[in-house]
Amino acid sequence: MNGQVRTNSLFGVLVVFCLMVGMAPAQTTETLRIGLQTTGTFAWQLDVIRRHGLAKRAGLDLKISEFASPDAGKLAINGGSVDIAVVDLLWVARARALGAKLLFYPYSSAVGAIMVRSDSPLRKLEDLKGRVLGVAGGPLDKSWLTIQAAAIRQGIDLKKSTTLQYGAPPLIAQKLKQGEAEASLNFWNFCAALEAQGYRRLFEVRDAEAILGAKEPVAMIGYVFSESFAAAHRSAIDRFIAITQQANDIMLRSDQEWDALRPLMNAEDDKTFKAYRDRTREGMPRRPVTAEAVDASALFHTLATIGGPDLVGPSHELDQSLYYQPAQRGD
């Protein structure tokens, strides 16, 4: 009899527990408005997040707004029409120095290089003297300023010793192919495509960063959002950063994942596809944010000296508080 009572009591407790669980409110899904440059690699990461259901499991609903250029993403962040976008570190630093309360979290350290034909006699920076050098992105492009600074450390003034041609990345790539330029500095994805076509790297921006004091490659591109949004939605930001890291882990360990991504990558052939994959993997940040900030500060000071206020705004020192520190991570 007592055993039957205990059994009934236990059953009753279980029923009440099940009812309580059933009545408990489900986790609230939080919406994040994401700004996406349609031709950027951020689209690849977001596709991994979508196909693996990472956002849903994290209680996030990602609303994507597509833009044709990085500048459109910057305007959207400033105007408050998106919550997060992938933006240039120097732009964030300049905006912050001018009063905009923006935060930055590293996305990629992938950078370009000076490319030459495989049979070119040019082997080092000094060999560029008297040659035609194409430069993608214009006189204030961060990669160009970084290489200039590294060259100056070696006693070479590339602005004075070379004939410079500025232009959009596709144009600069074509000038090299057509022989109108003997070397070209281009964005990382154009360099990867050229490399797949048999061109070689004469000097990498990453090498220039090391000459200027960076211990490891610096993530010059990152996720950007406002301080006010982060303060009000810290958990959502932390969960978003966590799922981007999960997506990176998937892309790092799985070649099959890249087969699924290939339709988005606009790779002309297998060599270009593999070059895009490998260079993207190399650019994924793997170190603590504090270490990023130290290297970025050293590099920023040098770039500010060369580029001046037009590049970085009124400050020659990087405000390290622009780096966001996720609460749930130890870095």
Side-chain angles (χ1 to χ4, degrees), residues 132-184:
V132 177
L133 173 62
V135 176
L140 289 178
D141 176 73
K142 62 183 180 299
S143 294
W144 171 225
L145 294 176
T146 303
I147 283 184
Q148 280 187 69
I152 289 171
R153 291 278 178 93
Q154 299 178 357
I156 305 166
D157 188 335
L158 291 176
K159 285 183 67 175
K160 292 182 179 179
S161 62
T162 62
T163 299
L164 297 173
Q165 296 179 341
Y166 297 110
L171 174 63
I172 294 302
Q174 281 302 119
K175 284 183 176 293
L176 180 63
K177 292 178 182 180
Q178 295 169 359
E180 296 179 30
E182 294 161 280
S184 72

Side-chain angles (χ1 to χ4, degrees), residues 26-42:
Q27 180 186 16
T28 302
T29 298
E30 195 158 0
T31 298
L32 289 179
R33 300 170 302 163
I34 308 295
L36 170 67
Q37 182 188 343
T38 52
T39 57
T41 60
F42 188 25

Side-chain angles (χ1 to χ4, degrees), residues 2 7 30 49 66 86 118 171 189 207 211 215 243 254 306 319-320:
N2 290 340
T7 300
E30 195 158 0
I49 290 171
E66 296 186 348
V86 169
S118 59
L171 174 63
N189 52 324
D207 296 328
I211 289 172
K215 295 179 180 178
I243 64 174
S254 172
I306 296 176
D319 177 3
Q320 294 199 12

